[in-house]
Amino acid sequence: MGEYTLHVNGREMHVSAPADEPLLWVLRNRLDLTGTKYGCGEGQCGACTVLLNGQATRSCLTPLNAVAGAKVVTIEGLEQNSHLTPVQEAFLHEGAMQCGYCTPGMILQATSLLNETHEPTDQQIVEGMNGNICRCGTYPRIVAAVRMASRLAAHGGTR
Amino acid sequence: MSGRDPVAAGLPPLDRREFLKGLGAGLLVVLTPGAAWAQESGRGFRGHELPKDISAWIAIDADGRVRVFTGKVEVGQNIRTSLAQQVAEELRVPFDSIAMVMGDTDLVPWDMGTFGSRTTPTMGPQLRTMAAAARQMLIEKAASNWKVPATSLHASGGKVADPAHQRSIGYAELTHGEKLVKVISGDQPLTPAADWKIAGTPVPKANGRDFVTGKHKYPSDIVRPGMWFGAVVRADAFNAKLVSADSSAAEKMPGVKVVRDGDFIGVAAEDSSVVRAAVKAIEAKWDAPAHQQGNEGLFDYLKKTPEPGEESHPHSRGSVEQAFAGADVKLDERYTVQYIAHAPLEPRAAVAEWQNGKLTVWTGTQRPFGVQEELMQAFNLPAAQVRVIQLDMGSGYGGKHSGEAAVEAARIAKAIGKPVKVEWTRAEEFTWAYLRPAGLIEIRAGARKDGTLVAWEHHNYNSGPSAIETPYEAPNQMIQYHPAQSPLRQGSYRALAATANNFARESHMEAVAHAAGIDPLAFRLKNLTNERLRAVLQAAADKFGWTKARSTAQRGYGIACGTDKGGYTAACAEVEIGSGKTVRVRRVVAAWESGAIINPDGLRNQQMGAIVQGLGGALFEHILFGDGRIRNPYFSAYRVPRFADAPQIEIVILDRKDLPPAGAGEIGLIALAPAVGNAIFAATGVRVRNMPMAPEAPVPGIDPSPFRS
């Protein structure tokens, strides 16, 4: 067990945990941030995706000691003063989910993608999102949502 | 938010009996059994009688909020929304005033489970009947208060209105402090679909915002005060017996407890990081049978190893032998499907808590009352002592009928005297849940030169009887399902064996058409009188541009259709054959009809999802196994459809407001695989008769497919 200070969703948080504990379990079991999901534990499904200094990162493969000092954003940290981000708005508008278990990871992956590529082509969306699995098969709607989020962001929303 | 989950919405937890006793605001209407009622809803099952009073299903709160109680559960198929729409419609209340209480065994009437596309055709009418009866009661109550005839009043927007006197009264005011009792008929007149204002519209997913903000609590998200983390030491092979286990090292770890009971070894740890290490620290020796059936030789094994005592009922008409002997075109082939995994993105998870002898379990399951029964048996408890709470979960696709994690968590929790959470790993979900059955299907068909089908023989070994009967006119038929002893644990999977039977049938129909030199669509239509199936077939073909589609060596076009459980579907697929014989499905047009549509947006979402999910089983999903082990229990070794696999999908919906709604969550799968197989054939002249049709590497035990995904 070690003592760590994390910056999660704009707040400083202190945790006591083993250095090699995956960030996923730190978030879920120690910080009560259960929006980040377990799906495979091998970085294959993207359900555990968070933003690490703005970059989509698989929290199931990221040890705690690698994130000390970094800025972590989870699904819970996107909404500001009851305002959804363009990506969240777009997922809601397109109905881009069924069971919704993959949705937090999808939203953070898409957020990261749009941070890097403001107006992605459909091909870039598919490539950028291909590491995230939706078993319900809502991929076409998610692509539409990312496209819409790009337009929303261009019209003044924050990414 | 409408149709909201009261727990998610932060409303106080409600004890149903307290609620009814305290508020006294329920409506009690005793329904006499009517024809529809007896047929669909009032049917007792294993001693379970469905309650006949409205208050068991619908409660009108003092503030006008309406709570609806159902044992059906939300797993992504969108029934939290579609059921709420139907109640709002019949009760004449705003959609937003409905809160669905689902899958909590203490609060909702007993229900067999959420499977078989039964929610829409049975729970829908059930709740609509209750809502319509409640509405009538409210109108009569208002009429009696105002001393006017009930026929002069009408209900809308949660109020009873008296247009003649320009007055109205809210439902909550009418029910407050009083129970209304009246015997009415079970056959309530329901609002016709043509008059629907809330049902039949694309209402967005209930609680949608909670899903995009991470607020929604899935079963694996539940935390209880003082909760420990549990895990189970698994056998190293199926059918293994525990020989010995040394748990001394694990027991010495701080904050760790080991629970031993026969072959069961559970571990509990106070700290989440310790539990898996503690499992690893236990040295268990297992004795497994030397030879267990694997992929090699699987289909011969299934054919030769019938399940004893499982009678197989043949469907027979005319004489297949005679008709076959006289047919101009004869075709005899075998088709196979592999075991595949549901792989819901949320693996099994449960939190168990014992309090004063009562067990409460939060878990993800399609059958909360089935899991309650499992727990009652495991711990010898009456139903009143076991509460199962199912939270809208990370889906199931037919794969979460059972309560393994619930029983495990309850066992460990009981032994250590603390609440315990058990979350299965992905490898556990692949290995210790159950699978879509593998199957062998043999079909023999005969047709005349003019394309008239005369003989049809269809045998299914192990995969199942769903949609085994042909929708085509064949005067001579012999159709039989042969249950076999499965080497792997198998169970329900979205659409059951309809996918396998339809793949074989529609592939075979295409092959017969080809042998007879007739266009496959024309051949189907020639032998098909079912108007609903013809309609979707024609609709898909029209939208796709079937008559103009000309296949080349690089691009093939295929068509297929199918029906089961009141749903009718047809699909046209465009497939691209790349260098190295790679297969990419580029475009799918799917037509769907299932009677009146409750929510067109939810329906489209289901059909699109079914196409994408169906691609996995059609092209590449398969379980590798042998010697009692699953060899690919990881997403890195078990390929599932991803963004890059998804074709352009167009869904054509036929809304038949004149027909009762059928379930739409499953059958959208069944035309996809044969449409793709037929497209591959159209491009290459090669008929692939084994699903998956284009695996990453040849599947052991079957002739290697020339195609790759």
Side-chain angles (χ1 to χ4, degrees):
Chain A
M1 291 283 181
E3 303 296 321
Y4 294 87
T5 300
L6 300 183
H7 299 273
V8 183
N9 299 334
R11 288 170 54 203
E12 265 196 7
M13 294 183 173
H14 304 280
V15 290
S16 172
D20 60 353
E21 181 165 295
L23 176 60
L24 168 65
W25 301 112
V26 175
L27 293 169
R28 286 183 58 80
N29 293 335
R30 301 185 193 279
L31 299 175
D32 202 21
L33 292 168
T34 55
T36 308
K37 304 301 185 200
Y38 167 80
C40 69
E42 54 167 351
Q44 286 284 324
C45 77
C48 68
T49 303
V50 298
L51 298 183
L52 201 60
N53 295 329
Q55 290 265 339
T57 303
R58 302 290 185 251
S59 67
C60 74
L61 295 181
T62 306
L64 172 57
N65 62 1
V67 299
K71 286 195 169 72
V72 178
V73 175
T74 71
I75 190 70
E76 293 92 342
L78 291 181
E79 189 181 2
Q80 299 290 332
N81 304 319
S82 302
H83 287 292
L84 300 180
T85 65
V87 179
Q88 289 174 307
E89 285 286 2
F91 269 67
L92 210 47
H93 184 267
E94 293 289 337
M97 71 198 76
Q98 285 181 21
C99 79
Y101 192 80
C102 72
T103 305
M106 290 286 181
I107 285 175
L108 290 161
Q109 189 71 37
T111 303
S112 177
L113 170 69
L114 291 174
N115 281 343
E116 284 164 26
T117 312
H118 293 187
E119 292 176 33
T121 62
D122 280 6
Q123 187 57 31
Q124 285 173 314
I125 295 172
V126 165
E127 282 165 12
M129 302 297 295
N130 208 41
N132 289 56
I133 292 171
C134 170
R135 275 303 268 160
C136 300
T138 64
Y139 298 127
R141 285 185 174 212
I142 295 173
V143 171
V146 177
R147 221 186 284 137
M148 182 189 178
S150 161
R151 286 197 306 272
L152 285 177
H155 288 88
T158 51
R159 286 190 180 86
Chain B
M1 283 283 111
S2 25
R4 65 193 183 270
D5 176 346
V7 178
L11 303 172
L14 174 81
D15 181 299
R16 178 157 184 78
R17 282 159 296 239
E18 287 304 308
F19 170 79
L20 292 173
K21 199 167 58 190
L23 280 175
L27 286 164
L28 182 69
V29 178
V30 178
L31 289 159
T32 58
W37 174 267
Q39 211 174 40
E40 290 286 12
S41 333
R43 175 176 59 188
F45 180 79
R46 290 198 287 184
H48 294 282
E49 288 298 327
L50 296 187
K52 294 188 178 74
D53 58 304
I54 289 179
S55 63
W57 303 94
I58 295 172
I60 297 172
D61 212 341
D63 60 3
R65 198 171 49 190
V66 178
R67 296 179 201 248
V68 181
F69 304 91
T70 174
K72 297 297 179 200
V73 301
E74 172 62 47
V75 300
Q77 81 286 42
N78 208 33
I79 62 166
R80 181 178 290 282
T81 309
S82 64
L83 289 175
Q85 283 178 266
Q86 294 176 77
V87 173
E89 182 69 53
E90 293 294 350
L91 195 54
R92 309 282 193 264
V93 297
F95 179 76
D96 284 354
S97 66
I98 306 265
M100 297 295 299
V101 179
M102 306 176 79
D104 181 329
T105 60
D106 263 16
L107 303 183
V108 305
W110 181 88
D111 186 88
M112 201 187 312
T114 306
F115 53 82
S117 293
R118 300 305 292 156
T119 300
T120 297
T122 62
M123 186 54 67
Q126 165 78 7
L127 293 177
R128 286 173 66 195
T129 299
M130 288 295 169
R135 185 217 323 148
Q136 192 52 37
M137 288 298 304
L138 290 158
I139 288 174
E140 283 166 18
K141 174 71 177 151
S144 136
N145 285 6
W146 286 329
K147 299 188 171 47
V148 296
T151 48
S152 69
L153 306 179
H154 72 266
S156 75
K159 290 174 179 170
V160 178
D162 178 3
H165 301 89
Q166 294 188 329
R167 58 187 169 183
S168 68
I169 182 167
Y171 288 174
E173 289 175 78
L174 279 168
T175 58
H176 189 67
E178 209 179 327
K179 269 186 182 174
L180 307 174
V181 185
K182 192 185 177 192
V183 176
I184 57 166
S185 162
D187 289 333
Q188 285 296 299
L190 301 180
T191 308
D195 298 337
W196 284 348
K197 293 180 180 66
I198 300 171
T201 66
V203 174
K205 182 178 177 70
N207 297 336
R209 197 182 170 104
D210 290 346
F211 290 87
V212 301
T213 54
K215 286 194 183 76
H216 174 71
K217 294 287 182 203
Y218 290 86
S220 54
D221 298 334
I222 292 299
V223 176
R224 297 294 299 167
M227 184 182 84
W228 281 37
F229 296 85
V232 174
V233 178
R234 303 289 173 192
D236 61 0
F238 299 129
N239 306 306
K241 295 268 172 260
L242 184 65
V243 176
S244 65
D246 179 359
S247 56
S248 54
E251 280 165 51
K252 286 190 195 106
M253 296 168 77
V256 168
K257 288 181 182 175
V258 177
V259 179
R260 299 279 302 267
D261 181 6
D263 280 6
F264 179 84
I265 310 172
V267 174
E270 190 170 8
D271 191 275
S272 60
S273 67
V274 179
V275 68
R276 291 285 160 191
V279 166
K280 284 200 185 91
I282 293 174
E283 288 185 33
K285 288 199 172 59
W286 302 89
D287 183 23
H291 299 289
Q292 297 194 50
Q293 180 66 46
N295 295 91
E296 287 292 350
L298 172 65
F299 299 103
D300 288 339
Y301 171 87
L302 292 175
K303 189 171 179 182
K304 281 188 298 198
T305 319
E307 181 69 30
E310 292 276 325
E311 189 128 334
S312 170
H313 302 284
H315 165 87
S316 186
R317 181 197 301 168
S319 168
V320 170
E321 292 304 332
Q322 275 180 19
F324 199 69
D328 302 317
V329 177
K330 304 169 194 183
L331 210 58
D332 190 348
E333 293 292 352
R334 54 188 261 162
Y335 300 83
T336 67
V337 301
Q338 296 285 330
Y339 289 104
I340 63 175
H342 312 77
L345 208 53
E346 181 184 38
R348 281 166 165 69
V351 173
E353 181 173 280
W354 293 83
Q355 255 181 356
N356 305 321
K358 177 162 182 172
L359 170 63
T360 301
V361 176
W362 292 258
T363 193
T365 176
Q366 293 171 248
R367 297 175 60 243
F369 287 91
V371 172
Q372 182 194 40
E373 211 164 285
E374 281 184 54
L375 293 164
M376 286 158 60
Q377 281 170 10
F379 302 102
N380 195 22
L381 293 170
Q385 293 297 94
V386 180
R387 179 182 188 181
V388 174
I389 302 172
Q390 138 71 28
L391 300 108
D392 299 9
M393 64 173 163
S395 208
Y397 321 111
K400 284 186 182 162
H401 286 196
S402 47
E404 298 86 348
V407 175
E408 290 163 1
R411 270 177 113 160
I412 301 170
K414 190 177 185 190
I416 72 167
K418 296 174 197 305
V420 166
K421 180 193 287 199
V422 168
E423 288 175 272
W424 279 23
T425 63
R426 177 55 56 194
E428 284 180 299
E429 183 68 31
F430 267 112
T431 307
W432 298 101
Y434 55 86
L435 301 165
R436 197 277 308 268
L440 167 68
I441 295 167
E442 294 176 336
I443 299 185
R444 192 160 68 131
R448 284 203 287 267
K449 272 194 213 107
D450 67 353
T452 307
L453 203 56
V454 292
W456 189 264
E457 187 170 1
H458 180 137
H459 295 273
N460 176 312
Y461 296 89
N462 190 61
S463 98
S466 286
I468 195 170
E469 295 196 7
T470 176
Y472 298 102
E473 303 301 313
N476 302 285
Q477 299 184 8
M478 167 64 192
I479 294 168
Q480 195 166 14
Y481 160 54
H482 307 267
Q485 292 179 47
S486 170
L488 295 179
R489 189 180 175 209
Q490 61 185 24
S492 295
Y493 182 106
R494 189 179 192 182
L496 304 176
T499 300
N501 285 320
N502 212 56
F503 167 67
R505 178 169 46 243
E506 286 292 286
S507 299
H508 206 74
M509 285 294 287
E510 185 94 357
V512 174
H514 185 75
I518 299 171
D519 171 79
L521 173 60
F523 176 64
R524 283 180 176 81
L525 291 173
K526 185 177 177 67
N527 292 288
L528 192 59
T529 56
N530 184 315
E531 286 303 330
R532 295 175 75 179
L533 195 51
R534 287 177 69 94
V536 288
L537 196 51
Q538 198 63 61
D542 290 348
K543 175 84 174 176
F544 188 76
W546 177 258
T547 51
K548 289 183 193 146
R550 298 281 173 270
S551 296
T552 65
Q554 286 79 40
R555 202 157 285 258
Y557 304 99
I559 190 166
C561 64
T563 175
D564 193 25
K565 301 188 174 94
Y568 297 82
T569 184
C572 294
E574 175 183 327
V575 165
E576 183 184 298
I577 310 293
S579 58
K581 299 206 168 174
T582 55
V583 172
R584 287 290 311 276
V585 180
R586 289 298 184 188
R587 181 180 175 225
V588 172
V589 172
W592 176 261
E593 193 261 289
S594 55
I597 296 166
I598 313 281
N599 185 322
D601 184 64
L603 181 57
R604 283 177 186 282
N605 205 351
Q606 282 304 303
Q607 300 315 309
M608 182 178 283
I611 296 296
V612 173
Q613 190 160 52
L615 273 178
L619 293 178
F620 39 74
E621 285 188 44
H622 62 284
I623 285 288
L624 294 171
F625 69 106
D627 289 330
R629 294 177 184 88
I630 303 294
R631 306 222 185 267
N632 57 343
Y634 309 100
F635 281 136
S636 52
Y638 181 98
R639 181 173 168 183
V640 298
R642 290 179 179 271
F643 278 91
D645 297 308
Q648 180 190 329
I649 300 173
E650 295 150 65
I651 307 290
V652 184
I653 303 270
L654 307 182
D655 190 2
R656 288 290 302 272
K657 291 192 191 301
D658 55 319
L659 294 170
E666 302 187 81
I667 303 309
L669 277 170
I670 71 174
L672 190 269
V676 168
N678 293 340
I680 293 173
F681 177 82
T684 66
V686 177
R687 170 70 51 197
V688 189
R689 298 187 185 87
N690 305 301
M691 281 175 67
M693 292 182 274
E696 305 286 89
V699 180
I702 56 165
D703 294 340
S705 166
F707 302 105
R708 296 287 166 268
S709 289

